[in-house]
Amino acid sequence: NGYVSFGKNFGGLIIQWGYGFATNSGNLVSFPISFLTMPASLAIAILDTNTDQTNNYRVSYNSLTNNDVIFYATTTASIYIKFIAIGK
């Protein structure tokens, strides 16, 4: 997990990334640092190596805030994911 803050010269742009798990009931993942406002963009990638499973479920998010996000999976298994968030 990590982040880059570009400061005032770039309008306060912050890029953060990390790893976590998505679950059927939701898993709260905190950003490395807080954004000043809610992130403008969030992308998720599935890291699970079982190709049969990756074709049969989806990963999504809900409750996106400036501090954290909840990741969900459409399976009962925990799905290993990585994310990148962009904001101020």
Side-chain angles (χ1 to χ4, degrees):
N1 297 351
Y3 70 94
V4 175
S5 178
F6 291 92
K8 293 180 183 180
N9 290 338
F10 292 89
L13 178 67
I14 300 172
I15 299 174
Q16 300 193 54
W17 59 91
Y19 296 89
F21 289 93
T23 64
N24 194 3
S25 60
N27 182 45
L28 181 72
V29 175
S30 297
F31 296 122
I33 63 169
S34 294
F35 289 99
L36 295 177
T37 60
M38 190 171 72
S41 180
L42 178 71
I44 308 166
I46 297 171
L47 297 177
D48 199 311
T49 58
N50 184 339
T51 57
D52 290 338
Q53 281 189 329
T54 56
N55 292 326
N56 294 322
Y57 59 72
R58 295 184 198 129
V59 171
S60 62
Y61 67 90
N62 195 353
S63 301
L64 177 64
T65 72
N66 62 323
N67 297 311
D68 48 44
V69 60
I70 299 176
F71 291 111
Y72 291 90
T74 58
T75 179
T76 56
S78 293
I79 306 304
Y80 191 48
I81 59 156
K82 64 180 174 180
F83 68 87
I84 185 168
I86 301 171
K88 293 182 175 188

